[in-house]
Amino acid sequence: MSDDDRRGLFDLTGRSALVTGAAGGIGSAVAAALARAGAAVLVTDVDGAAADAVAGKIAAAGHTAEGAALDVRDRAAADAAARRAASPTGGTLHILVNNAGVTAPAMFDKLEEDAFRRIVDIHVMGAFHCTQAALPLLATDGTGRIINVTSSAGLTGTLGQVDYSAAKAGIIGFTKSLARELARKKILVNALAPLAATPMTETIRTDPKFAERMLARIPLGRWADPEEIAGSFVFLASDAASFITGQVLPVDGGLVI
């Protein structure tokens, strides 16, 4: 295989992508990486101004991106975002990245029902809304991809995050079942469980009580930069992953082995 052929495996030129929760952290790094690989990317976030800023930086670097406000709990907004993301490629969408998420740590006996529902609504129902919105537009020629973001919390559980762990475990079941359903349409569905230095993990990383304990659990002994995580999304979105579906890929320095 020539060097050009190898590069071609990861070439997303002519494809479109919708990334949710992309105003910062892993989401913005993923949007930029997909755009560098050639995709036309719609950068979305509940903070529309921040999404526009990320898209502006990507476009200034010579790639194709636009920003849009999107609350993933709003089905009508998800429909509109999916259509807009598909417009650069004639109404066909190739890549959906369900990344939007938040945390609300609390021990279970102090966890309020409204807080629990909010986490589930954003993570699980958000993925539901965006995936249903995208599905009629997703390519069925083997280039259609749905990439969901889960967490080690969904695989092993996390102290003080029953709500988040339940939601992320739900994403895993969502991924595996949907992969079985959509295989007949040649749409691949996978999930990533990343661990990176982002605003979402700042409390753990900066609290001495938690930071040392967490680093001791990571065999590589450090947190990843979001840009280190983004390449895994490009891989799953590309032709290099054409025979992978229904899988959960931890990208976490060995945290989950």
Side-chain angles (χ1 to χ4, degrees):
M1 182 181 293
S2 69
D3 288 344
D4 286 343
D5 288 335
R6 290 189 184 93
R7 283 192 292 269
L9 283 173
F10 302 96
D11 185 5
L12 301 179
T13 301
R15 303 183 196 183
S16 55
L18 168 60
V19 184
T20 70
I26 290 172
S28 61
V30 169
L34 292 173
R36 285 195 300 271
V41 181
L42 183 64
V43 179
T44 70
D45 197 274
V46 68
D47 184 341
D52 285 340
V54 170
K57 289 180 181 178
I58 294 171
H63 309 298
T64 304
E66 294 183 355
L70 172 60
D71 184 335
V72 296
R73 296 169 293 181
D74 182 338
R75 175 55 191 271
D79 287 336
R83 290 193 297 269
R84 182 173 172 185
S87 62
T89 46
T92 297
L93 182 64
H94 300 87
I95 303 155
L96 169 64
V97 178
N98 285 312
N99 173 69
V102 296
T103 60
M107 298 304 288
F108 184 70
D109 59 348
K110 294 180 174 61
L111 182 57
E112 297 182 358
E113 181 178 343
D114 286 349
F116 188 96
R117 288 185 183 278
R118 177 173 177 265
I119 295 297
V120 172
D121 280 348
I122 292 172
H123 289 266
V124 181
M125 291 307 300
F128 170 82
H129 288 314
C130 292
T131 303
Q132 276 207 337
L135 187 56
L137 308 174
L138 277 170
T140 56
D141 62 353
T143 60
R145 303 284 193 273
I146 298 169
I147 304 172
N148 300 315
V149 178
T150 183
S151 165
S152 62
L155 292 164
T156 65
T158 302
L159 183 68
Q161 290 192 317
V162 168
D163 49 359
Y164 184 74
S165 296
K168 288 305 192 183
I171 291 293
I172 292 172
F174 178 83
T175 298
K176 289 181 175 292
S177 292
L178 196 60
R180 291 184 181 277
E181 286 194 25
L182 298 185
R184 70 193 71 178
K185 295 185 177 182
K186 299 182 182 178
I187 296 171
L188 309 183
V189 188
N190 291 289
L192 276 157
L195 182 69
T198 68
M200 190 178 290
T201 61
E202 184 175 4
T203 299
I204 297 173
R205 291 184 291 108
T206 58
D207 187 318
K209 181 175 66 174
F210 296 120
E212 184 176 356
R213 188 181 309 166
M214 187 66 184
L215 284 175
R217 295 175 55 202
I218 304 171
L220 290 183
R222 65 178 180 84
W223 294 80
D225 291 325
E227 288 73 17
E228 292 181 88
I229 303 294
S232 300
F233 286 82
V234 175
F235 164 64
L236 287 178
S238 75
D239 292 343
S242 62
F243 203 56
I244 302 173
T245 198
Q247 303 305 306
V248 178
L249 175 61
V251 186
D252 59 8
L255 178 65
V256 178
I257 293 179

